[in-house]
Amino acid sequence: MNSTYSPAESSALPSQLPGASEATPQRSLVIGRRGYFHGRNAFDWIFAALVLVGAGFAFSRYHASMDVYEKGILAGAAPALIALGWFWRPLRPLCLIVGAASLFAIQLYLRQTDDFGADLAAADKVFFLKYMLSSQSAILWMSVLVWMSTLFYWLGFFQKAGGHSAAEAIGTRLAWGAVGMALIGTMVRWFESHQIAPDIGHIPVSNLYEVFVLFTWLTTLMYLYYEQRFATRALGAYVMLVVSAAVGFLLWYTVAREAHEIQPLVPALQSWWMKIHVPANFIGYGSFAMAAMVALATLLKTATPRALAIGLIGVPVGLVAVLLAFRFGANVSPELAAGLNGWAGKMAGVAVFLAASVALRGPLTARLPALSTLDDLAYKAIALGFAFFTIATILGAFWAAEAWGGYWSWDPKETWALIVWLNYAAWLHMRLMKGLRGVVSAWWALIGLLVTTFAFLGVNMFLSGLHSYGTL
């Protein structure tokens, strides 16, 4: 049972409010908890109705192509989306805009038909598809908006400390635009895959190209929630930096491998488990990446210059040395040698960037929130990521039993996923049981990003196994 006051009285008793006197009658307390539906405004209910109508439309049109699991996912997705929109109101216009734009793009495709369904060549003929709403165009817009958002967030550091930063406000709006275009690209790509052939259509989370898009919008959206929750935009530069790196890899991968082309699923991926395992996994990856960038901000704000030089600059330099040693000391294929050279160059660029960050730590940390806020945000991000990563690992075991006949096979990807899980389980244990805080906690979270990145990409580069669906 909770006692509740009106909003104006939330911080004081009636007799303590301005203007109150001894003659002021005491107000009685309202005993009880307000219902979940109490206080919902008209737009809340309009949003809920539109979501239900959209779910009903999707079911009426595509139920013949759904199995019982997919119908269950659709039935659960509608109330979940409504609850999320009621919990965090900015999601409501985002969902409505993405839905309207996606339906508009689909309608533009349906005006052009071939022997099977929509003519995908319309993506190069119809103005709005060619320049904005085809999946590839929308994802390219996402990429541009992510980089522009990162730039404006960083420009915000060089405005007056403590004051309102117009550049950071622009960065926030651009980040929302990037999320919107990513979701439109994802929805339209899903439709496009079904127009190639009946047995090719699938949710776009099946290869490296598609999951990098997923990582981009999930991580950005999670950051935008915490930005509003903690009322600070100063961390946007740090978090959007890792998102920009993901976009850079996505564009390189698109050019180098033509990865944007929609491909049929391999047999092991033709499962409804993929629809829930992969998104849960990437909520974990995105949360861990965000926590690592918050940890970077914490270290720039608190660590000694010597520790920063050894850790932030020495680690990527050491990785360059390891990559080059492996490149010239082992008998590797020309393709792997080229990849190692490329990653050595990227790590060298990271070292240069971190050295510049250490040199400019004054302006780069002047607008950051208090250390307690940074610590709390990192904890919440890791706790969220750990929960979803645990769910994803359990779902992956069930999927493996269905696809390969066993829950666990010590495949390299599975082994490294377990290492990631143990790393963050230990981090949470040390925080909750031993009170781990501050610089040690931040270093651990930052190193955790290296472990996670190797589990995600390094396994694909250097190892092989049952999960080698997205080779580099």
Side-chain angles (χ1 to χ4, degrees), residues 220-302:
T220 304
L221 192 61
M222 285 189 290
Y223 163 72
L224 289 169
Y225 169 74
Y226 284 113
E227 178 182 272
Q228 184 183 67
R229 171 79 179 274
F230 288 88
T232 177
R233 290 191 173 110
L235 289 169
Y238 293 93
V239 177
M240 293 303 292
L241 191 66
V242 74
V243 178
S244 290
V247 166
F249 176 88
L250 175 71
L251 295 178
W252 167 82
Y253 195 54
T254 302
V255 174
R257 299 289 187 271
E258 295 185 354
H260 64 284
E261 299 291 341
I262 299 173
Q263 301 293 334
L265 292 177
V266 299
L269 294 179
Q270 295 173 6
S271 170
W272 68 275
W273 289 105
M274 182 181 71
K275 300 173 178 63
I276 52 178
H277 167 74
V278 176
N281 221 17
F282 276 83
I283 293 175
Y285 284 148
S287 298
F288 297 152
M290 181 168 61
M293 301 316 289
V294 174
L296 174 62
T298 301
L299 291 172
L300 287 175
K301 189 178 178 72
T302 61

Side-chain angles (χ1 to χ4, degrees), residues 310-361:
I310 295 173
L312 294 184
I313 304 171
V315 169
V317 169
L319 288 174
V320 171
V322 170
L323 289 169
L324 291 178
F326 186 78
R327 156 74 174 86
F328 293 105
N331 185 19
V332 297
S333 66
E335 293 80 7
L336 180 57
L340 290 170
N341 290 339
W343 281 100
K346 292 179 178 67
M347 287 298 103
V350 169
V352 172
F353 167 79
L354 292 175
S357 298
V358 172
L360 297 172
R361 63 184 300 191

